[in-house]
Amino acid sequence: MRSAVFAVILPILATGCATYSEPSSHLSGAAEAQEAAAITAVLQAQDEAWNRGDIPAFMAGYWKSPNLRFASGGNVARGWDATLERYEKRYDTPEKMGQLITSDYEIELLSPDAAIAHGRWMLEVDGDNPSGLYTLVMRKIAGEWVIVSDTTTSAD
């Protein structure tokens, strides 16, 4: 009896294991590198805008849609306008904004128009250096990579 069960179960398990494959963007290596560089450029442009004290320019990296999702500090803001308002309220002076440093970019292309970006952030603010991690869901919309969902956590 036991060998009959194994005779049925083992081929099913082997088939299930054999069909798994790593996610693929279906892009060539060069095209994937080009898209990853384009995503990194969006993130670096956000850093530069933040460090100039320009929150609206920082927000250019986000999808300008009521469907944008931003999660941080146990709260979720929905929509580009609500996310902008959250940033402007929380960081209403250059002193509160400090200098943003992002690092450790990990970009995984899921398809030609979808990616996940992980990284670290740190604010250099007088007397404090809050830091943490982020996970961004990005989409290529109208030829441009934008953040459609941002989950940012604090290490503090």
Side-chain angles (χ1 to χ4, degrees):
M1 171 82 169
R2 200 157 115 180
S3 60
V5 170
F6 281 120
V8 172
I9 292 176
L10 283 177
I12 293 169
L13 290 174
T15 302
C17 292
T19 59
Y20 175 78
S21 63
E22 292 292 319
S24 171
S25 66
H26 304 289
L27 295 172
S28 70
E32 200 164 300
Q34 183 178 8
E35 296 298 347
I39 290 168
T40 300
V42 170
L43 303 178
Q44 290 173 337
Q46 283 191 298
D47 288 2
E48 292 167 8
W50 185 273
N51 293 335
R52 287 191 313 270
D54 189 346
I55 292 175
F58 173 82
M59 288 292 298
Y62 287 96
W63 184 28
K64 195 165 187 177
S65 165
N67 295 317
L68 170 67
R69 181 181 189 277
F70 181 88
S72 180
N75 298 305
V76 176
R78 297 207 181 266
W80 190 89
D81 292 328
T83 302
L84 173 63
E85 182 180 318
R86 180 200 172 281
Y87 275 121
E88 289 180 332
K89 184 176 179 180
R90 183 166 179 158
Y91 301 102
D92 58 347
T93 67
E95 292 77 27
K96 287 182 183 176
M97 289 181 75
Q99 292 292 295
L100 176 64
I101 299 166
T102 59
S103 62
D104 298 342
Y105 301 133
E106 295 177 36
I107 297 168
E108 181 180 350
L109 286 157
L110 303 174
S111 71
D113 67 347
I116 296 175
H118 301 278
R120 294 185 177 280
W121 63 271
M122 183 183 75
L123 280 181
E124 290 183 342
V125 183
D126 288 337
D128 194 15
N129 288 337
S131 64
L133 303 172
Y134 62 81
T135 299
L136 309 172
V137 177
M138 301 189 71
R139 297 294 311 263
K140 193 172 191 180
I141 298 173
E144 301 293 326
W145 285 102
V146 291
I147 300 163
V148 299
S149 179
D150 179 339
T151 300
T152 298
T153 63
S154 176
D156 303 326

